[in-house]
Amino acid sequence: MRFLCLHGYGTSADIFKTQTSAFRAKLTIYPPPTFDFINGPFPSLPAAGIDLFYPPPYYSFYASASVPALNDAHDWLLEYIAKHGPYDAVMTFSQGGVLASSLLLSHFINKPHLLSPFKLAVFICSGLHLSILDELGLPVGPKAWDLDKRSKQALAIQASSESILAQGHERWTGIESAEPTEGEVLETDVYGLDFTQYPKEWRIRIPTVHVYGKKDPRCPASIQLAWFCEEGKRREYDHGAGHEVPRKREVSVAIAEAVEWGVKMAEDTCLTNHNDDPDPSCMLSRGVDEEATFGNTRNISGGKVDPLSKDLELTTLHSPSEDSDRNDNFPEGGARAWSVVFGSTCALTALFGVINSTAVFQQYLSSHQLSNYGAGPIGWIFSFGLFMTFFGGVQVGPLFDAKGPRVLMLTGKYWHFFTVYGLVGGLGGALINTPAVACVGHFFLVKRGTAMGIAFTSGSIGGIVFPLMLQQLFPLVGFAWSTRILAFVLLIMLVLANLLVKSRLPPTPGGRVLPDFSVFKDMALTFCTLGIFFMEWGLFVPLAYISSYAVDHGRSTAFGFQIVSVLNAGSFFGRWLPGLVSDKIGRYNTIIITIILCIVTLFGFWLPAQNSEVILILFATFFGFASGSNLGLAPVVVGQLCKTENYGRYYATCYTIVSFGYVKPAFAHEKVFFFG
C-alpha cells in the first residue's frame, strides 16, 4: 500500500518523516507499505516552537486560511496525485489533515458517484476547516466558531518556544471546558456542531484512523472530524498528550496497530458484500473486487452509465486490471492532456493519413510504374507495409512502457518512413503508432473513448487531404516530387508530435522490454484479440481497393481519387462520434453496433452497387462512418483489460496477432472485389 504523507503548517516532509518514524517502525504489514512524504508548495515561517528542534526550510500547503486558498490547494493536490500517483492512502498531520479531510468531504458531498482519491485516511492531530463546512452549506453554530478560535489561540501559546522552554511537556493543558471525556460528546453537540442537521450520507465514506491527544487544544477539531467519517469504518486513538506524535513505545505500538487496522479495513471493505452494492471507495482496491467478479455488474456513476462496467451487459469476460486503473487519478482533461491528444493526432495523421490513402497509390501504380502487374501483387506491397506497422509493435510496446515515447518517436521520422513502403516504412509506422496511441490512454480513463476518437480522426483528415493533394500533384510534378511534398507535410506533423506526445507515468526502471505473449493467458484479451483480428481482416479490404474498384467499373481516375476522400470524410465522424457515445453506453457495446452497421452497409450498398456512381458514393459515406470506430475504439477496448502502465505492451502484443490479417493473399482480395 502506498501512502501520500502531508505535513503540518510550518514544517516539512523531512520533519513529518521524523515525527512518524517511531510508529512506522512498529508496522508489521507485509508487503511493507511505502510512504511518500512531500513538501507543501508555499515556503512559510516555522510553526510555533518547531524551530527549536528542526532547521529550515518550512512549508505550507496553502497561502492563507481562506476557502479560495484551500480550494486552490485541493487543485494542487489532485494535480500532484495525477502526476505522481496513484496512492492508496493518505497520512496527515495538522494542516495536512485539514487539506485532505476537506478534499475528501467535498468529494463525497459533491461527487459521490465518482471514485475517491484514497481508500484509507490516517489523520494525526487533524481537524476540519469550519469555513469549508459553511461553504458546503452545512450549518456551523456560534459555539463551534468560538471554540475553533479559542483552540487555535491556545495552540499558539502552548506550542510556542517560550512554553517549551519554561514548561516542557507540562505545557499541554488542552482548552478549558473542552476535554473529550467519555460520554460527554452527543450527536446534537459535537463541540458546537449538531450532526442531526447533516444528512447521514454526507460523510467521508472510506476507512479512517484518528490519532489525537486529549491535552491538545485542537482535540475538539479532531473529534469533529472523526464524526464526519463513517462510524463503522473509523477508529480513534487518544494518546493522552498534546499536539504532537509521542514516541513512547506503547504509543507507537498502539498507533501502528490502528494503522494496520485501517489497512485491513480498507482491503476488507472491497472484498465483502459481493451481493450488495459496495462503497465507491472500494473500487480503488488493487486486488479482485466487486467488479472483478464474473457476471456481477453495477453502475457506479449515479444516474449516468459507467462505460467501464456497462460493457459487461454484453460481455461476461472481465479483467480485474480494469479496476486497478480506477485507483489511478487520470487527468481526464486539462492543457497537458489535450496537448498530448493533439500531438497524437499529428503523429497519426502522418501514419494513417498515408495508410488511408493506400487506394490512391494502389490505383496510380497499377496504371503507371506497375501496370504490368495485377492488383494482387501490387496489393502485397501495401498489405505488407500495414502488417509491419502493427507487427513491429510487439517490440515497440514493451519499450514504450519501459522507456517512454520520446526516443521511439524520434527513431520513426519521415525520412525512412518512405524509404521502403513495405518493410522499412512499416517499421517506421510501428515506432510512431504504439507510442502515439498508448500516450492518450495515460491521460484518460472515463473519457478515453472520446479522446482516442478525436486522436484517430487524424487518419480521416489525412485520408481526405492527401488523396486530393496527390490528385493535383501527380500530373503536375510527377510521382517523385509528389511524394517528396507529401513527406515535407509529414515532417511538420511528426516534429509537432515529438514535441507534444509524452507519457504521464514515469518510465518503469528495469521494466521488461521484450515481447510478452504470456498476456494471452488472460482469456478476455485472447478473445478480444481474435475479434479485432477478424474485424480488421474485413474492414481494410474496401479501404485498399475502393479506388481501383471504381476505376475498374468505368469511373474516371479523378473519381477514383475522390471516392477515397468521401470514404474518409464519413470515417471522420465515425471515429469521433462512436468514441463519444462509447463513454456513455460502453466501449464493447459501441464497437459491436458499428460492426453490425458495416455488415448492413456492405450488403445494402456495396453488393448492389455494380456501376452505379450514386450507390458507390453512398457506400463510401456510410461504410466510412460505420468502419471509422475500428481504429479508434480497438485500442480502448484493449486498454480496459490491463493497467495503464502495461497499456503499450498489451496494445502492441494484441496488434502483433492482428497484423497477420493484413498480409492475407492480396490476390484473394482481387477475386473478391473485382467479381463483377
Side-chain angles (χ1 to χ4, degrees):
M1 178 166 284
R2 191 178 181 202
F3 281 79
L4 178 63
C5 304
L6 309 178
H7 60 77
Y9 168 81
T11 62
S12 67
D14 289 337
I15 294 174
F16 192 29
K17 185 183 297 184
T18 302
Q19 290 171 326
T20 59
S21 60
F23 77 78
R24 286 189 292 112
K26 302 296 182 182
L27 294 172
T28 59
I29 304 170
Y30 187 84
T34 58
F35 296 90
D36 188 358
F37 293 85
I38 65 171
N39 288 316
F42 299 99
S44 75
L45 297 172
I50 203 72
D51 53 343
L52 287 179
F53 305 99
Y54 302 101
Y58 311 108
Y59 300 93
S60 171
F61 285 103
Y62 36 87
S64 67
S66 66
V67 172
L70 190 55
N71 287 330
D72 289 342
H74 290 170
D75 294 338
W76 174 86
L77 182 58
L78 290 174
E79 184 177 346
Y80 184 92
I81 294 170
K83 184 176 181 180
H84 300 283
Y87 292 97
D88 300 291
V90 61
M91 182 173 71
T92 71
F93 184 88
S94 196
Q95 188 196 65
V98 174
L99 173 59
S101 63
S102 59
L103 173 65
L104 287 167
L105 186 60
S106 298
H107 171 89
F108 283 109
I109 292 177
N110 296 322
K111 303 175 182 178
H113 58 288
L114 298 181
L115 302 179
S116 168
F118 309 103
K119 65 177 181 180
L120 168 66
V122 178
F123 298 113
I124 304 173
C125 299
S126 300
L128 279 166
H129 197 302
L130 294 185
S131 296
I132 281 289
L133 299 183
D134 198 41
E135 180 81 1
L136 292 171
L138 301 175
V140 179
K143 178 180 177 180
W145 285 112
D146 177 68
L147 188 59
D148 182 71
K149 180 181 179 180
R150 289 193 296 115
S151 68
K152 290 177 180 177
Q153 292 172 344
L155 176 62
I157 295 172
Q158 295 176 29
S160 67
S161 300
E162 293 78 7
S163 295
I164 294 173
L165 296 174
Q167 298 175 283
H169 288 291
E170 300 300 319
R171 71 190 184 280
W172 296 117
T173 58
I175 184 171
E176 185 180 354
S177 64
E179 182 177 345
T181 307
E182 182 70 19
E184 180 181 316
V185 178
L186 301 175
E187 186 177 12
T188 56
D189 185 14
V190 182
Y191 298 105
L193 297 181
D194 184 356
F195 275 79
T196 61
Q197 299 185 42
Y198 307 152
K200 291 288 187 182
E201 64 272 19
W202 286 15
R203 299 291 187 272
I204 296 174
R205 293 188 289 113
I206 59 173
T208 56
V209 175
H210 305 264
V211 178
Y212 51 78
K214 63 182 180 181
K215 295 182 180 179
D216 181 1
R218 294 292 293 162
C219 183
S222 296
I223 296 176
Q224 289 172 337
L225 172 56
W227 275 74
F228 267 107
C229 299
E230 198 162 299
E231 183 175 0
K233 295 182 180 179
R234 73 175 186 244
R235 180 167 176 173
E236 300 173 53
Y237 171 68
D238 179 1
H239 55 62
H243 197 74
E244 58 189 355
V245 187
R247 301 187 191 183
K248 295 179 180 179
R249 183 182 182 281
E250 60 271 22
V251 172
S252 297
V253 170
I255 296 176
E257 289 176 351
V259 172
E260 290 176 354
W261 173 89
V263 170
K264 188 176 186 302
M265 174 63 73
E267 293 173 347
D268 289 349
T269 300
C270 302
L271 296 173
T272 56
N273 301 323
H274 283 282
N275 295 322
D276 299 323
D277 199 30
D279 187 277
S281 65
C282 80
M283 299 309 301
L284 297 175
S285 173
R286 289 184 179 274
V288 178
D289 61 16
E290 183 70 19
E291 277 208 353
T293 56
F294 292 141
N296 195 356
T297 65
R298 64 187 202 88
N299 180 0
I300 66 167
S301 303
K304 299 181 180 180
V305 175
D306 178 3
L308 303 181
S309 61
K310 184 67 176 177
D311 280 318
L312 298 181
E313 293 181 11
L314 295 182
T315 56
T316 57
L317 286 171
H318 181 56
S319 169
S321 298
E322 173 185 301
D323 300 310
S324 299
D325 264 347
R326 296 174 185 274
N327 189 29
D328 202 345
N329 293 276
F330 289 78
E332 301 293 352
R336 185 183 178 206
W338 287 114
S339 69
V340 170
V341 173
F342 179 71
S344 176
T345 301
C346 293
L348 296 177
T349 298
L351 176 60
F352 287 104
V354 175
I355 290 175
N356 289 341
S357 303
T358 293
V360 172
F361 288 102
Q362 167 86 15
Q363 193 279 325
Y364 184 88
L365 293 177
S366 64
S367 61
H368 291 80
Q369 290 96 326
L370 301 178
S371 58
N372 293 329
Y373 294 84
I378 298 174
W380 268 102
I381 299 173
F382 305 103
S383 294
F384 190 72
L386 199 55
F387 163 76
M388 290 305 300
T389 293
F390 291 101
F391 182 80
V394 69
Q395 182 61 67
V396 175
L399 282 171
F400 167 81
D401 290 333
K403 305 298 182 184
R406 185 60 50 82
V407 66
L408 297 173
M409 296 190 68
L410 283 171
T411 308
K413 287 290 190 183
Y414 84 98
W415 56 268
H416 68 65
F417 185 80
F418 290 99
T419 303
V420 178
Y421 195 105
L423 177 62
V424 180
L427 289 174
L431 292 166
I432 295 170
N433 180 43
T434 300
V437 172
C439 277
V440 176
H442 276 211
F443 288 85
F444 296 88
L445 179 65
V446 176
K447 297 180 181 179
R448 187 176 288 175
T450 301
M452 203 72 77
I454 292 173
F456 271 101
T457 57
S458 56
S460 299
I461 295 171
I464 295 170
V465 174
F466 295 164
L468 297 178
M469 182 178 77
L470 292 173
Q471 178 188 0
Q472 300 297 319
L473 290 175
F474 279 152
L476 188 64
V477 297
F479 181 83
W481 267 104
S482 296
T483 54
R484 291 186 187 116
I485 293 172
L486 179 60
F488 289 132
V489 174
L490 302 189
L491 171 62
I492 296 173
M493 296 289 102
L494 290 173
V495 168
L496 288 173
N498 273 285
L499 293 175
L500 297 175
V501 170
K502 60 188 68 176
S503 170
R504 178 174 64 89
L505 301 178
T508 306
R512 182 187 180 98
V513 297
L514 297 176
D516 184 10
F517 289 99
S518 66
V519 297
F520 288 117
K521 292 179 180 178
D522 182 351
M523 294 307 298
L525 178 65
T526 300
F527 283 108
C528 179
T529 300
L530 288 174
I532 296 174
F533 173 88
F534 287 111
M535 177 184 71
E536 302 286 17
W537 194 14
L539 295 185
F540 265 92
V541 176
L543 297 177
Y545 283 90
I546 188 170
S547 182
S548 298
Y549 177 86
V551 174
D552 187 71
H553 283 75
R555 302 298 103 195
S556 66
T557 301
F559 181 82
F561 284 87
Q562 293 160 5
I563 197 66
V564 176
S565 294
V566 172
L567 188 148
N568 281 294
S571 181
F572 175 87
F573 296 100
R575 293 170 194 264
W576 171 59
L577 287 176
L580 181 65
V581 171
S582 74
D583 289 335
K584 301 182 182 299
I585 70 171
R587 284 71 183 266
Y588 283 95
N589 298 350
T590 305
I591 203 168
I592 290 172
I593 292 171
T594 58
I595 291 173
I596 293 173
L597 288 176
C598 284
I599 296 172
V600 171
T601 304
L602 286 168
F603 283 96
F605 290 107
W606 180 70
L607 282 181
Q610 295 296 324
N611 298 324
S612 172
E613 183 174 303
V614 174
I615 296 180
L616 194 59
I617 292 174
L618 288 174
F619 164 71
T621 303
F622 286 100
F623 182 80
F625 176 83
S627 65
S629 67
N630 69 314
L631 282 175
L633 283 182
V636 180
V637 298
V638 172
Q640 285 188 217
L641 304 178
C642 66
K643 296 180 180 179
T644 301
E645 57 263 33
N646 297 326
Y647 192 14
R649 179 161 55 96
Y650 269 65
Y651 171 73
T653 305
C654 167
Y655 265 84
T656 297
I657 303 301
V658 173
S659 66
F660 286 95
Y662 302 129
V663 293
K664 53 196 174 294
F667 59 83
H669 290 181
E670 182 180 6
K671 292 181 181 297
V672 171
F673 259 77
F674 292 90
F675 62 88

